[in-house]
Amino acid sequence: MFVIKYKKLFIGISVTLVALAIVSIAIFHLKLGIDFTGGSALELSFTGTRPEITTIQKDLVSAGFTGALVQPTGENGVSIKTRDLTDTERASVIDAVSEKGKYPATQTSFTSIGPSVGAELKHKAIVSIVLVLVAIIFFVAYAFRKVSKPVSSWKYAFAVILALIHDVVIPSGAFALLAHFLGAEVDTLFIVALLTTLALSIADTIVVFDRVRENITVDRGMPFRDVVGKSLSQTFVRSINTSLMVLIMVVSLAVFGPKSTQLFAITLSIGMFFGTYSSIFLASPLLVLMEKSSKKK
């Protein structure tokens, strides 16, 4: 299987992408939305022509609402995320955006989240991702507990975790770019996208590893790298086809879906693509490298 033959190339690609993603996060940062920091989200619909987004931002600054995130919604709508607003301040925002009646606007929704609630959500989001990774480690180690040669069950788990870190870091780096150029913010949908990516990626990886476990028993005299290559050949088409079908639907959601779920769909699309890549081109080659290094000891 060419994946095993050129394993260092594919692992190198993953390492490079992860490094670039970390640089992206370090430079552009992941801007937390009001789900995690607290604040207000106001959606307005304009009766006639919607003003330019830059014009709305300037009007808000002039009215004393600095740091507001303004994004278009639909053809005539706008979403404004800012600090926590009182009823009087909310009316002032609407008045500023409509330029005192020049662009008539009506409120379609308003959400306010306190800072304590936002902090709790942030804590729960971090805990949920950590717990998922820990649960995966023990699940894989238990599922492959009878596999001791030539690679122990804990090394299967280690390869899975490295692949999953790869699947989390790369979409996060891409999202940091979106945050910088499009004003995207980390919200609960972003966390859902990451957790969904982890679930789909681990499912693909376990399918490949399970076939490796079966082939070790069947082909006892075959070198481990050939066993892994054979297992990849047997699952390659299935993994690609399954991921491709789901990816087509998610990309369609990103292109044709509502603005409210667009960034979620983009993040999930990126995560799914690299999740499929890691299950085929990263996790399995890592197993071969670990088996090779254990021979040298």
Side-chain angles (χ1 to χ4, degrees):
M1 183 68 174
F2 73 95
V3 175
I4 303 303
K5 182 178 180 181
Y6 300 105
K7 58 184 179 296
K8 291 184 179 180
L9 170 64
F10 294 120
I11 293 175
I13 291 173
S14 291
V15 171
T16 301
L17 290 173
V18 169
L20 290 174
I22 292 173
V23 170
S24 173
I25 295 171
I27 295 175
F28 301 118
H29 307 294
L30 289 171
K31 187 177 180 181
L32 297 179
I34 64 170
D35 289 352
F36 302 112
T37 61
S40 298
L42 174 65
E43 289 196 8
L44 302 175
S45 177
F46 291 91
T47 304
T49 304
R50 179 179 62 197
E52 294 292 330
I53 300 301
T54 53
T55 301
I56 295 175
Q57 290 172 329
K58 290 178 181 178
D59 291 337
L60 288 173
V61 172
S62 299
F65 300 100
T66 57
L69 175 64
V70 183
Q71 294 175 311
T73 58
E75 295 183 0
N76 294 307
V78 67
S79 170
I80 302 171
K81 295 180 180 179
T82 184
R83 58 177 174 78
D84 198 21
L85 301 174
T86 64
D87 290 339
T88 303
E89 289 175 328
R90 190 196 327 172
S92 298
V93 168
I94 297 174
D95 191 46
V97 170
S98 62
E99 294 189 19
K100 298 182 179 180
K102 183 179 179 180
Y103 299 98
T106 56
Q107 175 183 311
T108 55
S109 70
F110 179 76
T111 304
S112 183
I113 298 177
S116 60
V117 176
E120 183 181 356
L121 284 174
K122 181 170 65 176
H123 174 73
K124 288 182 177 179
I126 295 172
V127 169
S128 64
I129 292 178
V130 172
L131 287 179
V132 166
L133 293 176
V134 172
I136 288 171
I137 291 175
F138 284 102
F139 169 76
V140 175
Y142 178 79
F144 292 86
R145 65 192 183 281
K146 295 182 180 179
V147 180
S148 58
K149 293 181 180 181
V151 177
S152 67
S153 60
W154 286 105
K155 290 184 179 179
Y156 282 84
F158 183 65
V160 167
I161 290 302
L162 288 179
L164 293 181
I165 291 173
H166 163 280
D167 301 340
V168 169
V169 172
I170 292 178
S172 297
F175 198 86
L177 286 175
L178 294 176
H180 179 71
F181 292 106
L182 300 178
E185 292 182 333
V186 173
D187 55 11
T188 50
L189 283 179
F190 174 78
I191 302 301
V192 171
L194 290 186
L195 292 175
T196 305
T197 297
L198 292 179
L200 295 172
S201 177
I202 188 63
D204 256 356
T205 305
I206 290 299
V207 167
V208 177
F209 281 7
D210 197 51
R211 189 57 61 91
V212 172
R213 178 176 58 179
E214 292 176 1
N215 288 333
I216 286 176
T217 304
V218 175
D219 304 303
R220 293 184 179 277
M222 184 180 291
F224 184 70
R225 58 171 291 153
D226 293 337
V227 171
V228 176
K230 177 182 177 181
S231 303
L232 281 172
S233 299
Q234 293 171 339
T235 57
F236 186 82
V237 174
R238 177 262 182 201
S239 295
I240 294 295
N241 287 343
T242 302
S243 298
L244 185 61
M245 293 304 296
V246 180
L247 192 58
I248 289 173
M249 292 186 286
V250 177
V251 170
S252 299
L253 179 62
V255 176
F256 303 108
K259 290 282 185 180
S260 58
T261 59
Q262 191 174 56
L263 289 175
F264 163 77
I266 291 173
T267 305
L268 186 55
S269 299
I270 296 171
M272 280 201 58
F273 178 84
F274 287 104
T276 302
Y277 179 92
S278 70
S279 63
I280 298 173
F281 299 98
L282 179 60
S284 297
L286 282 174
L287 274 184
V288 175
L289 281 184
M290 286 187 284
E291 185 266 345
K292 187 177 180 181
S293 63
S294 62
K295 280 185 176 180
K296 294 179 180 179
K297 295 180 180 180

